[in-house]
């Protein structure tokens, strides 16, 4: 079968008549009749001939339009990349200064210690949750998780969890201890700065101190406890941390290694009651984050349980849990009070706008009017309580 166009075969057409019928003549470099031998010595020249039929003319026009569009897109991409690189270069001194300050803060308030040291963990968590540079440096939403299983894959192709600044700074970042080492580089493909910080995971805490049982997935737990690096992806335009990942960089670092810990078996519960009758995980009820004197915390668990029941009827738990049953590339968690508190405004808007829930095909699923109304009412009550608790905490904070 002959190629539709001569250049698809990489050689000239078999005859001048075939070339003219195609509407494009592929003139090999330096061939006779070439209008510009100097140019054709480097680039093949495609010279359009006047097609005889209307169909051929339309085909020619479409082909030329496609070529012009491709050339324009290529030039535009090149120009935008050049602009982005120039902007990234201009931003580097400021980004370097910020990363240095972040590494210094983290190694000061979350220094290397025994992975099971509860006192060190509490001090780190409270420092980062309250008025830390780390929390102030996080963008509106931070994407968190492991790198893609296939090295070199983009952030866009990687499954990550969306976390609010207070959740990441209060529940996830404190799970690591930092040695103060850091390295900064610009990733041209992501158009982001990548800061690598030396870190060690606290794998020996009580189960109730983790945001949820990471051991629901054995590989996830092992990746956490093997990590020796926390990666922060930073926007060169805003200077904000837009994504974070944990990984083992493959290098031997004696100070960033601990003995593996076998976690308890996972029983399918994201929250549970311990032997003393206390609800766990404790941080998910803002215990250790908000002050014990906060008058609004006493109603938090009751309001959340009411909301959780409404979310269950509204099928929210079909998607928004750590197991990610719907395999969403950007997971939003709602299975604990602290996760729901950070997402309550987006949740209520999505329900009001009928943007959730979705069915197994990821299309909108209708929920009955009563369930929707209950979800909105209980969500509003939970949102008001969280806003009041945050306002009380802010009022107690000394001026900076």
């Amino acid at each position: 079968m002959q190629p539709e166009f001569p250049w698809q075969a990489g050689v000239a057409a078999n005859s001048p008549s075939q070339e003219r019928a195609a509407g494009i003549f592929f003139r090999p470099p330096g061939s006779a009749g070439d209008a510009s031998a100097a140019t054709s010595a480097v680039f093949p020249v495609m010279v359009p001939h006047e097609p005889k039929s209307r169909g051929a003319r339309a085909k020619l026009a479409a082909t030329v339009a496609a070529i012009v569009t491709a050339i324009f897109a290529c030039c535009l991409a090149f120009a935008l990349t050049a602009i982005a690189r120039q902007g990234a270069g201009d931003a580097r001194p400021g980004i370097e200064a910020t990363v240095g300050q972040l590494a210094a803060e983290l190694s000061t308030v979350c220094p290397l210690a025994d992975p099971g040291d509860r006192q060190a963990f509490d001090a780190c968590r409270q420092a980062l949750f309250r008025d830390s540079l780390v929390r102030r440096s996080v963008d509106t939403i931070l994407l968190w998780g492991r790198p893609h299983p296939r090295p070199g894959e983009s952030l866009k192709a990687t499954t990550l969890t969306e976390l609010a600044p207070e959740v990441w700074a209060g529940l996830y970042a404190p799970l690591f201890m930092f040695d103060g080492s850091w390295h900064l580089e610009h990733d041209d493909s992501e158009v982001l700065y990548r800061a690598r910080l030396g870190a060690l995971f606290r794998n020996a805490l009580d189960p109730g101190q983790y945001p949820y049982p990471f051991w629901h997935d054995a590989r996830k737990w092992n990746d956490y406890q093997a990590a020796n690096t926390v990666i922060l992806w930073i926007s060169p335009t805003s200077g904000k941390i837009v994504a974070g990942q944990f990984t083992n960089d493959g290098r031997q670092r004696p100070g960033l290694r601990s003995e593996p810990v076998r976690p308890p078996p996972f029983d399918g519960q994201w929250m549970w009651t311990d032997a003393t009758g206390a609800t766990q995980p404790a941080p998910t009820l803002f215990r250790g984050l908000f002050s014990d004197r906060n008058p609004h915390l006493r109603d938090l668990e009751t309001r959340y349980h009411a909301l959780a029941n409404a979310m269950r009827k509204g099928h929210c738990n079909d998607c928004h849990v750590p197991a990610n049953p719907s395999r969403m590339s950007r997971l939003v968690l709602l299975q604990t009070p602290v996760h729901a508190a950070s997402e309550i405004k987006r949740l209520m808007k999505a329900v009001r706008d009928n943007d959730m829930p979705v069915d197994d095909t990821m299309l909108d699923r209708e929920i009955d009017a009563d369930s929707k109304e209950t979800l909105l009412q209980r969500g509003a009550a939970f949102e008001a309580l969280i806003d009041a608790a945050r306002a009380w905490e802010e009022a107690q904070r000394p001026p900076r």
Side-chain angles (χ1 to χ4, degrees):
M1 179 178 177
Q2 292 293 328
E4 185 178 4
F5 295 108
W7 65 83
Q8 292 177 328
V11 296
N14 292 334
S15 68
S17 61
Q18 289 175 323
E19 293 162 354
R20 290 182 173 84
I24 294 289
F25 178 66
F26 180 87
R27 183 173 294 155
S31 60
D34 195 336
S36 175
T39 301
S40 65
V42 180
F43 300 106
V45 180
M46 291 181 292
V47 182
H49 287 270
E50 180 66 25
K52 295 180 179 180
S53 69
R54 180 176 299 176
R57 285 197 297 271
K59 196 171 189 177
L60 173 61
T63 301
V64 172
I67 293 171
V68 171
T69 300
I71 292 173
F72 176 78
C74 182
C75 293
L76 179 61
F78 180 81
L80 291 176
T81 300
I83 292 171
R85 287 178 178 173
Q86 178 63 41
D90 293 342
R92 186 178 183 97
I95 301 294
E96 282 185 344
T98 298
V99 172
Q101 293 168 359
L102 290 170
E105 178 180 75
L106 287 166
S107 63
T108 299
V109 301
C110 306
L112 296 180
D114 184 284
D117 188 330
R118 174 67 182 275
Q119 186 175 357
F121 172 58
D122 285 342
C124 167
R125 180 172 56 183
Q126 291 170 13
L128 295 185
F129 178 76
R130 288 174 182 166
D131 191 27
S132 66
L133 175 64
V134 167
R135 179 170 171 175
R136 296 196 304 272
S137 298
V138 177
D139 205 356
T140 307
I141 292 293
L142 178 135
L143 301 176
W144 175 249
R146 294 168 286 178
H148 197 284
R150 291 193 300 271
E153 287 286 350
S154 66
L155 287 174
K156 183 178 181 180
T158 304
T159 299
L160 298 168
T161 300
E162 296 185 6
L163 297 174
E166 68 174 15
V167 175
W168 184 74
L171 273 72
Y172 291 81
L175 295 175
F176 292 88
M177 302 170 283
F178 297 85
D179 68 354
S181 65
W182 59 278
H183 173 73
L184 182 68
E185 59 195 351
H186 185 263
D187 188 302
D188 290 346
S189 61
E190 299 286 357
V191 198
L192 295 170
Y193 277 101
R194 177 172 49 214
R196 302 177 185 269
L197 283 65
L200 179 65
F201 180 68
R202 304 179 197 268
N203 65 340
L205 297 171
D206 292 335
Q209 295 305 310
Y210 298 97
Y212 61 85
F214 292 152
W215 48 94
H216 77 93
D217 179 336
R219 179 175 293 180
K220 177 187 288 187
W221 172 255
N222 289 331
D223 286 346
Y224 261 113
Q225 66 176 342
N228 64 6
T229 303
V230 168
I231 300 172
L232 302 179
W233 294 91
I234 302 173
S235 166
T237 53
S238 68
K240 294 288 188 178
I241 304 169
V242 297
Q245 295 173 297
F246 57 94
T247 187
N248 187 300
D249 65 4
R251 294 193 293 163
Q252 294 297 323
R253 302 189 191 184
L256 298 179
R257 186 182 182 281
S258 61
E259 289 300 316
V261 172
R262 182 186 295 274
F266 178 59
D267 63 1
Q269 300 300 312
W270 303 115
M271 299 187 71
W272 65 94
T273 302
D274 67 15
T276 68
T279 301
Q280 302 291 348
T284 64
L285 292 166
F286 290 93
R287 291 202 295 266
L289 298 176
F290 282 174
S291 169
D292 292 339
R293 298 182 295 107
N294 192 317
H296 304 284
L297 290 188
R298 61 176 175 266
D299 295 328
L300 177 64
E301 192 169 353
T302 302
R303 293 275 182 93
Y304 175 74
H305 283 314
L307 173 62
N309 289 333
M311 289 195 295
R312 193 173 298 111
K313 292 180 181 178
H315 308 289
C316 300
N317 291 347
D318 292 354
C319 301
H320 300 285
V321 292
N324 194 11
S326 297
R327 296 294 179 262
M328 293 186 290
S329 63
R330 296 293 179 261
L331 177 62
V332 175
L333 297 177
L334 300 172
Q335 86 284 353
T336 72
V338 73
H339 290 97
S342 69
E343 299 293 341
I344 188 64
K345 296 184 188 301
R346 287 205 295 168
L347 170 65
M348 292 297 97
K349 183 178 186 304
V351 174
R352 283 193 294 267
D353 295 346
N354 296 315
D355 290 336
M356 64 179 294
V358 294
D359 60 19
D360 292 340
T361 63
M362 301 308 291
L363 298 175
D364 292 345
R365 175 197 292 176
E366 290 291 334
I367 59 176
D368 64 87
D370 290 342
S371 295
K372 181 176 180 179
E373 182 62 26
T374 299
L375 180 55
L376 290 173
Q377 288 179 355
R378 294 181 180 178
F382 180 72
E383 181 180 6
L385 181 66
I386 290 296
D387 287 345
R390 288 187 178 128
W392 187 92
E393 292 286 329
E394 190 66 29
Q396 310 310 306
R397 185 175 300 168
R400 291 176 58 190

